[in-house]
Amino acid sequence: MDIKSVLSDAIIKTAQNAIAAGVVKDGALPEVQLTVPPKKEFGDFASNFAMQSARALRCNPRVLAQYIVENLDCPYVKKAEIAGPGFINFYLNPDWVYDMLARIVEAGENYGNLPKASDEKIQLEYVSANPTGPLHVGHGRGAAVGSALGNLLKAAGYDVEQEYYINDAGNQMNNLARSVNARYLELLGKEIEFPEDGYHGHDIIDTAQRIINKYGDRFLQMGEAERLEEFKTIAYQEKLAALKEDLERFNVRFDVWFSEKTLHEANKIKEACDTLLEKGYMYEQDGALWLKSTAFGDDKDRVVIRDNGVPTYFAADIAYHANKFGRGFDRVINLWGADHHGYIARMKAAMQCMGYQPEQLEILILQMVRLLRDGQEVKMSKRTGQSVTLNELIDEVGTDAARFFFVMRSIDSQLDFDLDLAKKKSNDNPVFYVQYAHARICSIMRQVAEAGITVQGKGDYKLLTEPVEVDLIKKLGEYPEMLATAAKERAVQQVAHYVYDLAGLFHSAYNQCRILGVSEDLQQARLAMVMAVGHVVRHALSILGVSAPEKM
């Protein structure tokens, strides 16, 4: 149990005793909030618990605060003081820090793997780009954040499955086939008119050239309709394989690849529409079928089936999300790009119409990415003149830097990605700074081994009295709570910020506290602390999908 839990439980018990003694009236007690004061002279922790409780217990906050200060039974508290209108500052015995380090060292590789958080079965869907071309840097941010969130939820004790939704039905696949067909004919010397809604990327030319390299002009003998079907299959398989390869290179792995086409083949879209009609949530107007989404907070009703009988993308999305819940997921989390913000209300409305609660569908919106080089925005690929692809970004800065830069800002903010900074081999580069901390730890262990010193993995931690050592241990102790909070708030950037701060404290300790050339007891205590830091750095980086190198 961590120190905050011990102290919180003691505060609650003391408040209950105050109620039983008639010092305050009976009432519901709030959750104890403990914060670290901005200055050390104000104690190790502070709480506004007495002020939060005052209304429910019908008392002056200072009355309850005084009772808590005088009657608190917690072995780690040396003293407590009232500040202002009812804040309480807690000053702890130094031993709590050492007891915490002992528990961290004892937990070893399991430290940071939290117990089961809930019985909820969660499905996390992200990226889900159309298989019509390469992933770009915007997809890269979604891939990094999504996979890190999946890792974070698992570490925090949640049951989560990660899924990619393949949009392999509809006009985009027909446009892909027409685009490849046009480039195929063009490369074979035929005059063509490129489709107005075709895909202009250089990858389409590459696909057409690969078809020629393998099959020559064989497809010229076919009728156009038959040729388009062939090209649709060939191009789709190639593009999907490339997507999977790019994501694997980016340390992104999905549990399920779900095909939209299977919904059409199994008649699931019609089934979903029939359900909506039966429930009275759809109506016909001008030959089309409309969802009554305004009844559930949308700004207007939405077309589900067009007047020509063809389902809209919205229809497929309704069927897909109904399928998700039908597979037994209690909560569905989607990561969408900023251009999908207006789609949230209608999707939640549709799920309410299907009988699910709106909060069961959680949608996170990723803001745009802006690449910068020499302080100037980079919009186009040097090679193709199109948008910069994820692969090109990885080629330039590497997977580790790309992932860390993508996750270290809140998804609510536009991300300015500094390419020059991401390539720097210096402490100015945050991912280098963190990875260098781990490499330093590995270097220490190699030096110790070369000196013939046996690492016991434990020690007299009370010898760790340097302020930077105490701060480092306290930071280690914050890790589980940070993970729990970050998972609850879907905020993977908190993990990046934490491990960056931890690395900073370690670098300071490394510069101030010798390991070789000190007493054996102090040496073993410091080695145990360093090993604990190494584990937490590795654990946090693994959540972010970033490697922890042993040498740099």
Side-chain angles (χ1 to χ4, degrees):
M1 183 176 285
D2 65 271
I3 184 62
K4 279 191 172 182
S5 298
V6 173
L7 183 53
S8 296
D9 290 347
I11 292 169
I12 290 291
K13 186 174 181 181
T14 307
Q16 291 170 339
N17 291 341
I19 293 171
V23 175
V24 295
K25 302 293 184 183
D26 194 4
L29 295 174
E31 184 179 341
V32 177
Q33 302 292 332
L34 292 168
T35 58
V36 177
K39 296 183 179 179
K40 290 185 178 181
E41 55 262 38
F42 297 143
D44 295 285
F45 293 107
S47 179
N48 63 352
F49 176 79
M51 299 169 66
Q52 286 184 310
S53 306
R55 182 184 293 273
L57 304 186
R58 289 166 285 170
C59 68
N60 185 306
R62 288 186 65 93
V63 171
L64 178 58
Q66 188 66 42
Y67 186 89
I68 291 173
V69 165
E70 292 176 355
N71 296 278
L72 186 72
D73 182 16
C74 180
Y76 293 119
V77 176
K78 182 166 63 176
K79 68 174 181 176
E81 295 178 348
I82 302 173
F87 288 101
I88 308 175
N89 293 331
F90 298 94
Y91 299 79
L92 306 187
N93 293 316
D95 286 359
W96 78 270
V97 174
Y98 307 124
D99 289 349
M100 180 171 65
L101 179 57
R103 289 195 299 271
I104 292 170
V105 171
E106 184 180 358
E109 294 298 308
N110 287 320
Y111 187 64
N113 296 327
L114 307 189
K116 185 177 180 180
S118 76
D119 292 325
E120 237 182 9
K121 188 178 179 185
I122 299 174
Q123 195 238 37
L124 174 63
E125 183 220 329
Y126 56 96
V127 185
S128 297
N130 291 343
T132 55
L135 299 173
H136 56 62
V137 292
H139 296 132
R141 188 181 193 187
V145 170
S147 57
L149 179 55
N151 296 337
L152 172 60
L153 289 170
K154 288 177 183 176
Y158 293 89
D159 179 7
V160 60
E161 186 174 281
Q162 301 178 64
E163 182 158 307
Y164 189 113
Y165 180 54
I166 311 168
N167 299 104
D168 53 4
N171 279 336
Q172 73 272 11
M173 300 311 298
N174 295 329
N175 291 341
L176 174 63
R178 287 197 293 269
S179 303
V180 171
N181 181 59
R183 294 306 187 197
Y184 175 81
L185 295 174
E186 185 178 54
L187 288 170
L188 288 174
K190 306 294 182 183
E191 286 193 17
I192 59 108
E193 185 175 334
F194 198 81
E196 186 178 338
D197 49 3
Y199 299 114
H200 293 265
H202 197 278
D203 62 292
I204 299 296
I205 299 173
D206 294 340
T207 297
Q209 186 61 60
R210 279 190 286 271
I211 291 173
I212 293 171
N213 293 344
K214 186 172 183 179
Y215 300 105
D217 62 359
R218 189 176 92 187
F219 293 106
L220 289 180
Q221 316 309 318
M222 294 181 178
E224 186 174 70
E226 187 181 358
R227 185 168 64 245
L228 287 172
E229 283 302 310
E230 290 283 350
F231 286 172
K232 183 191 295 187
T233 300
I234 292 171
Y236 164 69
Q237 291 173 346
E238 179 186 284
K239 300 304 177 191
L240 184 60
L243 285 178
K244 291 183 176 182
E245 188 176 319
D246 291 354
L247 290 167
E248 178 70 28
R249 186 185 183 200
F250 203 49
N251 292 337
V252 179
R253 296 165 189 93
F254 290 94
D255 301 305
V256 174
W257 291 77
F258 189 96
S259 163
E260 178 190 348
K261 194 160 57 173
T262 62
L263 294 172
H264 294 265
E265 292 169 349
N267 219 26
K268 293 299 181 183
I269 295 173
K270 184 179 184 304
E271 285 181 19
C273 291
D274 288 345
T275 299
L276 292 170
L277 282 167
E278 289 167 12
K279 289 174 174 282
Y281 291 128
M282 279 211 311
Y283 63 92
E284 185 177 344
Q285 182 177 307
D286 301 325
L289 289 176
W290 298 68
L291 181 72
K292 296 179 181 178
S293 51
T294 49
F296 297 93
D298 197 5
D299 59 342
K300 61 182 180 181
D301 290 346
R302 307 289 175 172
V303 177
V304 179
I305 305 294
R306 300 181 182 89
D307 56 8
N308 60 1
V310 176
T312 60
Y313 287 118
F314 186 36
D317 283 339
I318 294 171
Y320 175 48
H321 283 77
N323 176 279
K324 292 185 182 192
F325 288 116
R327 281 183 268 155
F329 292 107
D330 304 296
R331 180 177 298 275
V332 167
I333 304 175
N334 293 343
L335 265 70
W336 289 351
D339 55 336
H340 284 74
H341 192 278
Y343 209 69
I344 296 175
R346 76 187 75 168
M347 204 65 246
K348 282 182 171 284
M351 289 304 97
Q352 281 184 273
C353 293
M354 294 295 287
Y356 302 103
Q357 296 302 312
E359 59 270 19
Q360 286 181 271
L361 175 59
E362 192 175 326
I363 297 171
L364 308 178
I365 294 294
L366 288 150
Q367 294 302 320
M368 306 294 286
V369 177
R370 193 168 68 127
L371 295 179
L372 301 175
R373 183 182 285 113
D374 298 326
Q376 301 298 313
E377 184 173 359
V378 179
K379 291 186 176 180
M380 297 298 176
S381 161
K382 287 181 180 178
R383 185 177 75 88
T384 67
Q386 304 292 323
S387 297
V388 178
T389 67
L390 175 59
N391 247 336
E392 288 173 315
L393 179 66
I394 296 172
D395 287 341
E396 182 163 353
V397 307
T399 290
D400 287 344
R403 285 192 64 112
F404 199 93
F405 275 57
F406 278 139
V407 301
M408 68 181 181
R409 294 281 181 270
S410 167
I411 62 173
D412 298 329
S413 306
Q414 176 176 296
L415 175 65
D416 284 348
F417 192 117
D418 188 332
L419 293 165
D420 302 307
L421 179 60
K423 290 184 287 188
K424 275 189 177 180
K425 305 296 183 185
S426 75
N427 289 339
D428 294 334
N429 181 347
V431 68
F432 180 91
Y433 188 66
V434 174
Q435 289 181 316
Y436 187 48
H438 187 265
R440 263 186 164 169
I441 290 168
C442 294
S443 174
I444 290 170
M445 293 306 167
R446 286 193 297 271
Q447 291 176 49
V448 167
E450 289 166 4
I453 298 168
T454 301
V455 180
Q456 297 172 9
K458 59 183 180 180
D460 182 359
Y461 302 129
K462 291 181 181 179
L463 298 173
L464 304 173
T465 57
E466 293 292 333
V468 70
E469 293 176 308
V470 173
D471 288 344
L472 182 56
I473 297 167
K474 287 180 179 179
K475 193 67 180 179
L476 288 172
E478 294 172 10
Y479 189 53
E481 183 185 13
M482 181 280 300
L483 290 179
T485 301
K488 188 175 181 181
E489 296 177 359
R490 319 302 191 219
V492 294
Q493 76 275 6
Q494 292 181 19
V495 182
H497 297 165
Y498 170 88
V499 75
Y500 179 83
D501 292 343
L502 180 67
L505 288 170
F506 170 74
H507 288 308
S508 297
Y510 176 87
N511 292 324
Q512 295 178 39
C513 305
R514 292 169 59 92
I515 291 178
L516 296 175
V518 298
S519 71
E520 184 179 351
D521 288 344
L522 177 57
Q523 183 179 78
Q524 289 296 333
R526 283 180 173 166
L527 283 171
M529 177 182 69
V530 167
M531 288 172 65
V533 174
H535 163 67
V536 173
V537 170
R538 283 193 302 278
H539 195 277
L541 287 178
S542 71
I543 286 174
L544 301 178
V546 175
S547 70
E550 296 185 4
K551 293 182 179 180
M552 291 182 73

